Amino acid sequence: MDKSGFILFSATHIGAILFFIAVVIALFIGRNQFRQYGEKLKYVERTAACILLLLELLYHLWMAVTGRWSLADSLPLELCSISLLVAIVLLWSGNRHVIDFVLFAGIGGAVQALLTPVLDIDFPHFRFFHFFLTHIGIILTGLYFVWVKGYVPTLKGVFKAFLLLNALVPLIFIINLVVDGNYMFLREKPYSGSLLDYLGPYPLYIVSLEVVAILTFLFIYLLLRIGESAERKRSSVE
């Protein structure tokens, strides 16, 4: 194998996962300190939005320059690509109508992507940093709006995100047919290992993925609500 090729659970992959865990822990530990900045956080949020947008634009520029860009697989129509754009809008505008999509679809998709990346270039290439920083950015954005901005996840939000995701599927399926693409893996499984390998053959895995999606959203909801309840109890005791 090409030494520049990405290897699942290699030292660089595990390092990226450990970095992800570290920044999530840091955000959780520092949540109360962040809250003290009040309106000043808007500048941090918009700076983060600009960084994520710049990373994505540079990625598309790199693909164009290297001849990798094509309608079939370079449009921002994967779940994480869509989640990234929504996260950028959320960070820039603070529009809470889009939080649920980032919180459930975004985090659910990004965590799975971090564990089983569809990636062919390893550290220290720009693509490696783009992949992990943008996916970590999606997750941090969702957690930030819960832990720092005080958004309370709801079951209504879970089903809102699920319905919105399903509303996108027919549109993306049609685009796949037009451009001969495989966005959201609606026509076949990815070439590298992923969760889809355990969900049956095509097209059965798409139905199975629906079940996995709603269960993942509910799991994220329960984790965040349990954490919120524990923090409320600790605050009342203090």
Side-chain angles (χ1 to χ4, degrees), residues 38-176:
E39 287 299 314
K40 294 180 180 179
L41 286 173
K42 182 180 295 184
Y43 299 105
V44 176
E45 294 160 11
R46 291 192 169 184
T47 298
C50 290
I51 291 172
L52 291 175
L53 179 60
L54 179 61
L55 280 170
E56 188 67 359
L57 291 175
L58 288 174
Y59 170 56
H60 283 271
L61 177 62
W62 168 73
M63 285 195 295
V65 169
T66 57
R68 288 175 170 242
W69 203 99
S70 71
L71 287 173
D73 59 15
S74 303
L75 296 173
L77 295 177
E78 302 291 1
L79 175 57
C80 288
S81 299
I82 296 169
S83 298
L84 177 64
L85 295 177
V86 177
I88 290 169
V89 170
L90 175 58
L91 285 167
W92 184 267
S93 67
N95 187 335
R96 299 206 165 199
H97 292 294
V98 301
I99 290 180
D100 292 316
F101 190 85
V102 175
L103 197 57
F104 301 114
I107 290 180
V111 168
Q112 195 274 331
L114 289 177
L115 293 176
T116 56
V118 179
L119 187 63
D120 62 348
I121 303 178
D122 205 351
F123 177 91
H125 195 277
F126 163 76
R127 171 56 176 151
F128 177 90
F129 287 102
H130 165 267
F131 182 91
F132 284 102
L133 290 178
T134 52
H135 284 83
I136 291 171
I138 293 168
I139 298 168
L140 289 180
T141 299
L143 295 178
Y144 167 83
F145 273 86
V146 174
W147 291 342
V148 178
K149 303 291 283 187
Y151 179 75
V152 179
T154 64
L155 280 174
K156 179 181 178 181
V158 168
F159 291 103
K160 176 182 173 183
F162 184 71
L163 290 174
L164 180 55
L165 178 60
N166 277 274
L168 291 171
V169 168
L171 174 62
I172 293 175
F173 184 81
I174 293 172
I175 294 174
N176 278 337

